[in-house]
Amino acid sequence: MANRKGVFIGAYVPNELKESLRRRAAAEHRTLSQEITRILVEAVHGQGLPAGSVDRRNNNTIPRRRATDPLPRRRSEDLPFISPDDGRGKK
């Protein structure tokens, strides 16, 4: 018997839906089970990463740029930051 992590969920679906899922899974180089799991995770937890992406961050990781770049975070070639209350009449 295979060593599986998780529980089995059985469902009856139309054959054309199963075939559509199978083709989609094959296009993404996944098994049918992996594709169904991905769809369920997105449905329950919200939109995930794009196909083929891997999230290597853990929950305690601070984005590197935000940890070192002072506010306002701008690129050197961007227009200079002008605050809304700089005395030019607009707020």
Side-chain angles (χ1 to χ4, degrees):
M1 179 190 266
N3 187 9
R4 303 194 190 277
K5 296 179 181 178
V7 296
F8 175 80
I9 298 176
Y12 287 99
V13 297
N15 195 40
E16 58 270 9
L17 177 59
K18 179 186 175 190
E19 288 305 311
S20 294
L21 285 169
R22 189 192 57 73
R23 283 191 301 272
R24 188 166 147 183
E28 296 292 331
H29 304 288
R30 294 188 184 105
T31 64
L32 182 58
S33 182
Q34 288 170 330
E35 184 67 12
I36 292 170
T37 301
R38 185 191 65 77
I39 291 168
L40 288 171
V41 167
E42 279 186 8
V44 172
H45 297 295
Q47 192 70 291
L49 293 170
S53 296
V54 177
D55 189 1
R56 291 184 172 89
R57 297 174 295 170
N58 62 27
N59 293 338
N60 301 329
T61 303
I62 299 170
R64 287 177 286 177
R65 184 166 181 222
R66 291 194 184 132
T68 59
D69 244 3
L71 288 171
R73 294 179 191 98
R74 315 268 314 161
R75 294 182 192 100
S76 60
E77 65 271 6
D78 284 346
L79 296 173
F81 176 75
I82 300 172
S83 67
D85 56 348
D86 67 349
R88 295 187 185 200
K90 290 187 178 181
K91 291 190 178 190

